[in-house]
Amino acid sequence: MLKRTILKFIHMTPFLKQIASLFYKEYKANISDFCFVFPNRRSGLFFQKYLSEEIETPLFSPEICTITEFFAKFSPYQIEDKFGLIFRLYGIYKKISCKDESLDNFLSFGEVLINDFDDIDKYLVDAKDLFQNVKDLQDINYLPDYLEEAQKDAIRKFWKNFNPQPKRQQEFLATWEILYPLYTEFKQNLRKNNIAYEGMLFRDVCETAFKIPYQKVIFIGFNAISSAERRLFTLLKNQNIGDFYWDYNSDFVQDKKNKAELFVRQNIFDFPSKLVLPKEHNSFKNKQIQTISIPSNVGQTKEVYTILKELSTTPIDTETAIVLSDEKLLFPMLYSIPEEIEKINVTMGYALNSTPIKELIDNLLTLQKNITKRKDGDDLFYYKPALAILNHRYIYSYDESNIQLLINNITQNNKIKISKIDLNINEFLSLVFSPKQQNEICFYLMEILSHLISNNNSEDNDVMVSNLEKEFLFQAYARYQFIS
């Protein structure tokens, strides 16, 4: 039995509002010379909102940015898209490994490698030591001195127990031995093109000299900071430029049984705040929790509709949050938002594989794979993918009445192979039902997605869903554009 939980807490001044009020009262117009740095963009936007509420007279806004944007200010490199990184790494991997591996097979492995490279650089690890060559699976002659004995024993035990078939041993060793050359050549390639992944940019800034153009740099709301971030914090603290504020005024965070508490004392000790935040009663002892048993996921979204409907009698502000346990509930939840609520802010990831555009792309690819020709040269399309495409709401909504007549004609006459001439009833369907060679598929999909983006305007009944789906279309288009 699934449950939905409602939490109601006593009113407290938001942490970011406290910071905004504290700094404006202390520095007034001088705040324009400061830079406020946050872990993510969302917190920066809320801080800007709270600061605007505090300002009494016009002034220039201070710099407000994320930690990644702050590092980027002092680097010649631009952050590259994840897919761009994978394609670059793929070419280098094929050259170094001498393997003719397909891009499809490399994608997941490439993503893991890039994440590993990112961690290596963010934590300032010596990549050569990490990717040391292992010549004998049964014996390790060298382990770095900085490892504790327990860590060394664990590594020795792993290699002793790791004894796959000889072929797998060779594959593993061959992959392991190229990791460091792959890491170094990948970074060299990125440098030549003035681009970087996030960790590489962080490390580059930490290892070069740069001048801070701000009177003060205030870091707000961080917790588990990386080694690169710690080095930056230390540098600015020693220059008497950095100031640090930690959102640790919580019983849960300060509970020694909570793992998050591990960072609390160390961060406060290493990077103390120069200004003192006012003490607020922050006990969760007065919380009110209402739990309702609901038999299905979709049922939960319907219950949320009822609750929001009740709340909508008064203005619903940014302090109202809906937290989903499963990202697949996003669309049912969006369709359950009452009409009275015109705008919402979605701050969660949603896989393209779970979106309607993925289904359409799959059907378009299936359509192209099953094209045949008549003796007169006319192209014939198999009915299953053709009907699936025509019934897809992105396509169907383009010309509902004529497409419905076309669907009826196919089903009522039990057509198995459908002529291109019969399907090309308008310019858009002429684009969709046109045979393409393998090297033309990316451009074919891009044309269709571009057409859908331009025609999927916000005049639908549910603007929130329309805008979100336009974002899905754009992201799909961007990926095929890069591949092409």
Side-chain angles (χ1 to χ4, degrees):
M1 183 72 71
L2 297 172
K3 295 182 178 181
R4 193 262 302 156
T5 301
I6 303 173
L7 300 174
K8 295 182 179 180
F9 301 103
I10 58 174
H11 178 74
M12 291 166 45
T13 304
F15 171 68
L16 295 177
K17 186 175 179 64
Q18 292 181 51
I19 299 290
S21 176
L22 181 68
F23 269 84
Y24 181 72
K25 289 177 181 177
E26 182 72 19
Y27 297 102
K28 297 295 183 181
N30 292 333
I31 202 172
S32 301
D33 298 324
F34 298 173
C35 179
F36 293 88
V37 184
F38 298 88
N40 53 63
R41 188 167 295 172
R42 177 179 172 82
S43 53
L45 289 173
F46 272 85
F47 175 80
Q48 192 171 37
K49 169 183 176 292
Y50 293 135
L51 184 60
S52 65
E53 294 171 355
E54 295 289 331
I55 293 173
E56 300 167 348
T57 57
L59 55 79
F60 287 105
S61 173
E63 187 79 22
I64 298 173
C65 62
T66 65
I67 185 67
T68 302
E69 291 168 343
F70 186 80
F71 270 104
K73 292 177 186 294
F74 309 102
S75 172
Y77 306 126
Q78 297 291 322
I79 298 288
E80 176 64 301
D81 177 81
K82 180 180 72 173
F83 289 94
L85 292 170
I86 289 176
F87 283 114
R88 290 181 184 278
L89 184 62
Y90 174 62
I92 298 169
Y93 174 80
K94 285 182 67 177
K95 184 182 75 172
I96 293 178
S97 67
C98 299
K99 291 182 180 179
D100 190 22
E101 188 165 359
S102 69
L103 177 60
D104 286 344
N105 291 335
F106 179 78
L107 279 174
S108 58
F109 178 55
E111 190 169 356
V112 170
L113 281 178
I114 289 172
N115 289 336
D116 287 345
F117 293 167
D118 189 66
D119 286 341
I120 287 169
D121 285 339
K122 280 185 177 177
Y123 287 89
L124 309 178
V125 174
D126 187 321
K128 191 171 184 179
D129 279 351
L130 184 64
F131 293 135
Q132 61 176 305
N133 292 329
V134 181
K135 298 296 185 183
D136 190 345
L137 292 176
Q138 301 299 330
D139 182 32
I140 293 183
N141 297 318
Y142 166 76
L143 284 173
D145 294 335
Y146 55 75
L147 293 177
E148 297 177 359
E149 279 304 317
Q151 293 174 313
K152 293 181 179 180
D153 290 340
I155 293 173
R156 293 189 185 101
K157 184 177 181 181
F158 168 77
W159 289 117
K160 183 178 180 180
N161 295 333
F162 183 81
N163 190 27
Q165 297 298 318
K167 183 179 179 181
R168 296 296 302 275
Q169 286 185 5
Q170 293 173 4
E171 291 176 356
F172 178 83
L173 285 173
T175 301
W176 186 270
E177 289 178 357
I178 68 168
L179 289 182
Y180 182 64
L182 186 64
Y183 168 81
T184 53
E185 188 164 337
F186 179 51
K187 292 183 70 172
Q188 288 171 3
N189 178 277
L190 295 179
R191 286 193 180 96
K192 287 180 183 177
N193 291 279
N194 292 319
I195 55 177
Y197 51 86
E198 195 173 86
M200 175 180 166
L201 187 143
F202 281 24
R203 187 169 200 157
D204 177 72
V205 171
C206 286
E207 294 175 349
T208 56
F210 58 93
K211 185 177 180 181
I212 301 294
Y214 306 106
Q215 191 180 107
K216 287 183 179 295
V217 180
I218 300 95
F219 297 91
I220 301 170
F222 289 83
N223 187 34
I225 56 178
S226 67
S227 299
E229 291 167 335
R230 181 170 291 276
R231 182 175 291 184
L232 175 70
F233 287 10
T234 303
L235 174 68
L236 297 186
K237 174 191 170 185
N238 293 340
Q239 293 179 2
N240 203 30
I241 296 175
D243 198 359
F244 313 90
Y245 294 86
W246 312 93
D247 189 10
Y248 289 155
N249 188 24
S250 164
D251 292 343
F252 289 145
V253 174
Q254 295 181 10
D255 183 359
K256 292 186 178 181
K257 295 180 181 178
N258 187 344
K259 291 183 179 179
E261 198 269 343
L262 293 173
F263 306 103
V264 172
R265 297 181 187 277
Q266 191 65 47
N267 286 342
I268 292 175
F269 178 80
D270 291 341
F271 308 106
S273 306
K274 293 183 179 179
L275 301 179
V276 180
L277 286 172
K279 290 288 185 181
E280 281 209 354
H281 180 63
N282 189 24
S283 174
F284 288 89
K285 294 178 181 178
N286 298 322
K287 62 181 177 289
Q288 299 176 27
I289 302 176
Q290 180 187 2
T291 303
I292 301 175
S293 297
I294 299 174
S296 69
N297 282 339
V298 175
Q300 295 181 61
T301 65
K302 300 304 178 186
E303 180 64 23
V304 172
Y305 170 85
T306 303
I307 296 168
L308 292 176
K309 193 75 173 175
E310 295 172 357
L311 292 174
S312 62
T313 56
T314 58
I316 298 179
D317 57 19
T318 53
E319 294 183 4
T320 300
I322 302 170
V323 182
L324 303 180
S325 60
D326 185 347
E327 64 181 16
K328 293 179 182 178
L329 288 174
L330 178 59
F331 269 94
M333 187 67 256
L334 291 176
Y335 283 113
S336 298
I337 301 291
E339 295 178 358
E340 292 84 353
I341 303 174
E342 297 180 355
K343 294 183 179 180
I344 63 169
N345 183 17
V346 179
T347 56
M348 60 177 288
Y350 195 78
L352 276 176
N353 284 346
S354 303
T355 64
I357 192 61
K358 173 62 164 57
E359 179 188 359
L360 177 60
I361 290 172
D362 286 345
N363 287 325
L364 288 168
L365 295 175
T366 304
L367 180 81
Q368 292 294 327
K369 289 178 182 177
N370 291 279
I371 297 175
T372 57
K373 282 186 177 291
R374 285 198 304 215
K375 292 182 180 180
D376 61 3
D378 187 21
D379 296 297
L380 299 175
F381 295 88
Y382 188 49
Y383 80 100
K384 282 189 176 181
L387 282 177
I389 291 168
L390 292 171
N391 280 295
H392 194 285
R393 58 194 177 93
Y394 289 173
I395 307 297
Y396 186 80
S397 61
Y398 184 82
D399 187 2
E400 293 185 14
S401 57
N402 288 324
I403 290 178
Q404 187 59 56
L405 289 174
L406 179 57
I407 292 171
N408 292 341
N409 178 265
I410 295 171
T411 55
Q412 291 171 5
N413 292 288
N414 294 321
K415 292 185 177 181
I416 304 300
K417 301 282 187 176
I418 309 157
S419 168
K420 173 184 174 181
I421 298 173
D422 293 337
L423 289 166
N424 293 351
I425 62 174
N426 58 44
E427 183 182 352
F428 181 45
L429 290 188
S430 298
L431 170 63
V432 173
F433 294 101
S434 60
K436 300 294 179 183
Q437 299 297 321
Q438 186 173 355
N439 61 350
E440 300 175 312
I441 291 297
C442 281
F443 292 103
Y444 165 71
L445 294 175
M446 282 173 58
E447 283 186 280
I448 294 173
L449 291 170
S450 177
H451 202 93
L452 291 173
I453 290 170
S454 62
N455 285 279
N456 185 27
N457 56 47
S458 299
E459 297 176 359
D460 300 329
N461 291 330
D462 196 330
V463 175
M464 290 179 294
V465 173
S466 174
N467 288 339
L468 190 63
E469 291 183 339
K470 284 177 71 174
E471 178 66 20
F472 293 148
L473 288 168
F474 174 77
Q475 291 297 330
Y477 176 85
R479 279 152 177 73
Y480 285 106
Q481 184 181 43
F482 191 93
I483 294 172
S484 63

